[in-house]
Amino acid sequence: MCGIIGYVGSRPGVPIVVGGLRRLEYRGYDSSGLAVLTGGCIQVARAVGKLANLEPHLDGLEDGPDGGLHVVMGHTRWATHGGVTERNAHPHVGRSGRIAVVHNGIVENFLTLRADLATDGVAFASDTDTEVIVHLIERYVDDGMDLERATHATLARLHGSQAIVVMRADEPDRLVCARIGNAGGVCIGLGQGEAFVASDVPGILEYTREIIFLESAEVAVVTAAGVRARRLDGAEAHHRVHRFAWDPVAAEKGEYRHFMLKEIHEQARAITDTIRGRVDLETGDVSLEDLPLEPGSAPDRITLIGCGTSAYSALVGKFLIEGIARIPVEVDYGSEYRYRQPLVAPNSAVLGITQSGETADTLAAMDEARKRGSRVWSIVNAIGSQAQRVSDGHIAMRAGPEIGVCSTKAFTTSIVDQYLLACALAIARPDIQGSRDAARSLARDLARLPNLVGRALDANPIYEELARRFHHREHFLYLGRGINYPVALEGALKLKEVSYIHAEGYPAGEMKHGPIALIDEEMPVVCICVRDGVYEKMVSQVEQVKARNGIVIAIATEGDTALAAKVDHVIWVPEAPAMLNPVLTAIPLQLLAYHLAVRRGCDVDQPRNLAKSVTVE
Ligand code: G6P
């Protein structure tokens, strides 16, 4: 969703805020803007489109006096209310021009508030829900409140989840920021005589490693001297300072043309990190540092929850946990779980899978599960994120920063996390001796995985050729079976997201119940047909596609010349233990989507209409 950055301190703030916005641009890139508080005035610059479009407008801004205090905030927008226009870009400024706000979230009752304010003579300058916030704050300030109290009073009137940062010309030493609900994080970075505000940690990691996270219903006053936060009920709020080890260089593209390509190629390294220290290669024992499982502590049922790529990772997880630990698993979308009055059996666990740890639907589902008496676990990539903080136990993906909007290494590392969890659960079950021993042996298989991933990444020079042949196609079908069926869904999602080609993923056995009608000589069909327990079934599906003149691109096990002879194109993956196949078969599908999108001239890292973390419903 939208990205927010703020700075209070003695360095020029504009470059810091613009740099931070650049790192957070993956959250939204419809338009952007900046507000600078200097000489007792607020100056604003805004522009439609990518951040680069804002930069020419910054020349006229005065970034505070040399050696004096610099107070700056900025915003990169993913539109919810009001079209993508300059007047709808943030910051929004009150009537006096002396208060400005940037916002991430949705003011659900904004129509009522807007009508009230209009009755009082407020003329609105935008079509956004955000603008009501600045007018309400201004009204409370006019009534004699300071900015902090006015922000408290305003938040009490807003429905929905919000994260905001506010500045006021008459309180020129501070930013006030606040968070309500799950509309995305507000993190505050602490420095020597300076402080930073950001929606997400990578936005400020270049400047500080000491970060605190606002919880819901908290308002913080941020000055160069530090931070003071209160809850909406007036009580003082105390925060643990998180110390981050993430290297900001990891959030740069390096020699790669796009973050997506870099992140695809990081998977061998990321998976090595995911496994490191968690499997004893002698005994096969698994230890999950933040989700310890004592013997007998495994839940009787597990619900896996996610959105987008994380939901497809969860579908793979169902195969892993049911297959290895023999515990029944349900999978649900965060957006569905929360509204369907879910039944939570005694001794069950809900596991939220989320790269960002900030996806509103996933967080709300985790909340709902807790209210209904479930244990709540998470698999997260963003350290210190909300999902991690609200969980009873979590497993870190350890993928490192994922900046490309389209998720790649978080998919494979979260599968590895679920594989580890499945093994740990099996080992923690005293009642299934045979499965426990099998789980130890499966855990040891992980040692081979990074090498296999490296081979899958290196093996295939044909992506550009495939992209050349197929970039004009408007439809693709993806088929997989068993544990590779969710990978087919993920492959189709990747293609849609980055290339705007319509793609459908299907469990291959279901093809005959509908999608087969789509197949003709124009339809490329990507078939995941590796040598596993359903290999022969998949081969017969390939035959059915060929019988209708479809074009088959097969993802096949190295050396399977018999399959290669039947299909039009082959992408090889190395032979692997069956339960680890999804990690390998996902890689060619990521690369295929990437190369097709590049060939079509698409903006791979920032596809239209998408945002990296969706912090609104
Ligand atoms: C957005 C992103 C997807 C991502 C999904 C879930 O829609 O564009 O790439 O899979 O959110 O994100 P999460 O951070 O919860 O894994």
Side-chain angles (χ1 to χ4, degrees):
M1 288 301 95
C2 305
I4 293 175
I5 295 281
Y7 176 73
V8 185
S10 54
R11 294 193 247 184
V14 170
I16 292 174
V17 169
V18 171
L21 289 179
R22 195 169 296 119
R23 290 180 194 283
L24 293 192
E25 208 180 7
Y26 60 82
R27 296 176 67 94
Y29 32 83
D30 294 340
S31 45
S32 57
L34 218 74
V36 180
L37 202 172
T38 183
C41 294
I42 293 175
Q43 306 163 57
V44 169
R46 304 187 296 194
V48 168
K50 298 280 178 70
L51 192 57
N53 297 358
L54 179 68
E55 284 172 14
H57 299 265
L58 301 177
D59 294 344
L61 295 183
E62 257 177 68
D63 189 0
D66 281 352
L69 191 68
H70 298 253
V71 182
V72 183
M73 65 186 190
H75 185 268
T76 174
R77 180 172 187 239
W78 186 84
T80 60
H81 291 57
V84 180
T85 58
E86 198 208 309
R87 68 199 287 269
N88 289 336
H90 302 213
H92 291 283
V93 179
R95 285 193 287 180
S96 63
R98 302 190 66 73
I99 296 177
V101 68
V102 290
H103 171 225
N104 176 23
I106 293 177
V107 181
E108 290 171 2
N109 56 334
F110 91 101
L111 283 175
T112 320
L113 295 170
R114 194 175 162 110
D116 286 355
L117 286 159
T119 311
D120 282 358
V122 173
F124 281 80
S126 78
D127 314 312
T128 63
D129 53 335
T130 304
E131 200 184 338
V132 299
I133 301 177
V134 74
H135 292 306
L136 285 171
I137 292 176
E138 187 163 61
R139 185 190 276 183
Y140 287 117
V141 164
D142 290 347
D143 288 348
M145 291 186 187
D146 63 17
L147 188 59
E148 182 188 3
R149 284 172 58 223
T151 304
H152 272 268
T154 298
L155 289 175
R157 300 193 50 192
L158 307 182
H159 297 173
S161 294
Q162 337 286 342
I164 61 170
V165 183
V166 201
M167 62 167 52
R168 180 183 174 207
D170 300 301
E171 293 176 63
D173 65 336
R174 65 193 54 200
L175 291 171
V176 172
C177 55
R179 162 160 186 217
I180 297 196
N182 292 329
V186 176
C187 26
I188 302 172
L190 309 173
Q192 295 296 322
E194 58 185 356
F196 308 81
V197 182
S199 340
D200 213 348
V201 173
I204 51 178
L205 260 193
E206 190 180 341
Y207 303 104
T208 176
R209 302 295 166 85
E210 302 205 337
I211 291 174
I212 61 172
F213 294 90
L214 281 197
E215 298 298 337
S216 180
E218 289 182 355
V219 177
V221 176
V222 179
T223 64
V227 180
R228 180 174 47 74
R230 277 185 206 289
R231 298 192 43 77
L232 281 190
D233 61 15
E236 203 154 319
H238 300 282
H239 299 96
R240 182 162 86 79
V241 178
H242 294 253
R243 288 187 172 74
F244 278 79
W246 265 7
D247 177 359
V249 176
E252 304 289 352
K253 275 197 286 238
E255 82 248 33
Y256 290 93
R257 187 165 163 206
H258 295 103
F259 278 112
M260 182 179 176
L261 188 61
K262 173 180 180 244
E263 289 159 5
I264 290 171
H265 280 278
E266 279 174 348
Q267 289 176 107
R269 193 276 307 146
I271 288 167
T272 308
D273 287 348
T274 307
I275 300 164
R276 181 171 291 133
R278 288 169 166 173
V279 182
D280 181 327
L281 292 178
E282 302 253 310
T283 62
D285 277 328
V286 174
S287 54
L288 300 169
E289 62 286 5
D290 297 306
L291 204 162
L293 287 163
E294 303 306 326
S297 66
D300 296 330
R301 302 189 73 84
I302 298 179
T303 303
L304 304 176
I305 291 189
C307 299
T309 290
S310 293
Y312 294 152
S313 165
L315 285 176
V316 176
K318 176 177 169 71
F319 283 86
L320 297 173
I321 296 171
E322 290 191 341
I324 299 173
R326 310 303 297 149
I327 295 173
V329 173
E330 253 185 273
V331 178
D332 215 333
Y333 292 110
S335 52
E336 290 296 323
Y337 181 88
R338 60 192 290 195
Y339 290 120
R340 70 170 169 79
Q341 304 211 323
L343 298 173
V344 172
N347 192 27
S348 51
V350 159
L351 171 68
I353 302 174
T354 163
Q355 187 286 129
S356 61
E358 300 290 350
T359 300
D361 287 327
T362 305
L363 290 172
M366 289 165 70
D367 244 22
E368 183 66 32
R370 180 181 300 288
K371 282 189 202 129
R372 288 171 185 267
S374 176
R375 259 185 266 184
V376 176
W377 293 339
S378 62
I379 288 179
V380 286
N381 193 36
I383 304 154
S385 58
Q386 175 76 354
Q388 178 190 318
R389 297 202 307 280
V390 300
S391 301
D392 304 313
H394 75 275
I395 315 175
M397 292 181 197
R398 300 184 183 161
E402 193 182 68
I403 307 295
V405 165
C406 185
S407 192
T408 52
K409 58 181 178 170
F411 181 69
T412 48
T413 52
S414 62
I415 289 174
V416 173
D417 272 349
Q418 291 176 92
Y419 187 97
L420 286 162
L421 176 64
C423 294
L425 286 166
I427 295 165
R429 287 192 62 181
D431 50 327
I432 51 166
Q433 176 62 41
S435 308
R436 273 161 60 196
D437 296 342
R440 289 196 169 95
S441 152
L442 289 168
R444 281 196 291 263
D445 283 345
L446 280 169
R448 293 170 53 208
L449 188 60
N451 186 273
L452 295 173
V453 169
R455 277 170 55 195
L457 284 164
D458 291 343
N460 299 286
I462 69 164
Y463 296 107
E464 284 179 16
E465 167 59 13
L466 292 175
R468 191 185 61 72
R469 275 177 190 256
F470 295 116
H471 71 282
H472 286 310
R473 300 298 157 112
E474 287 307 322
H475 307 278
F476 266 69
L477 198 56
Y478 285 71
L479 301 178
R481 218 168 159 142
I483 199 166
N484 281 305
Y485 137 60
V487 182
L489 303 184
E490 171 62 5
L493 177 65
K494 287 298 83 122
L495 190 66
K496 282 182 270 207
E497 283 178 312
V498 287
S499 73
Y500 318 139
I501 296 174
H502 167 242
E504 280 198 58
Y506 247 86
E510 277 292 296
M511 184 185 68
K512 56 188 176 290
H513 300 296
I516 200 164
L518 296 170
I519 294 173
D520 61 16
E521 61 288 346
E522 294 294 315
M523 177 67 95
V525 185
V526 180
C527 297
I528 307 173
C529 194
V530 289
R531 284 219 186 90
D532 61 7
V534 289
Y535 171 72
E536 279 163 15
K537 309 270 175 214
M538 264 314 294
V539 172
S540 87
Q541 243 79 69
V542 166
E543 304 270 14
Q544 288 174 30
V545 174
K546 283 312 304 168
R548 283 149 189 93
N549 300 321
I551 305 159
V552 173
I553 303 169
I555 312 301
T557 305
E558 275 169 4
D560 189 352
T561 48
L563 180 67
K566 292 183 203 295
V567 302
D568 302 274
H569 308 278
V570 186
I571 306 178
W572 301 112
V573 290
E575 182 142 29
M579 299 251 196
L580 292 175
N581 264 324
V583 174
L584 301 178
T585 55
I587 289 168
L589 305 191
Q590 296 167 346
L591 284 165
L592 182 63
Y594 171 80
H595 285 283
L596 280 161
V598 168
R599 184 78 196 208
R600 284 164 71 95
C602 298
D603 187 344
V604 172
D605 283 334
Q606 296 181 337
R608 70 184 181 207
N609 304 340
L610 297 181
K612 182 76 183 154
S613 55
V614 180
T615 55
V616 295
E617 265 203 76

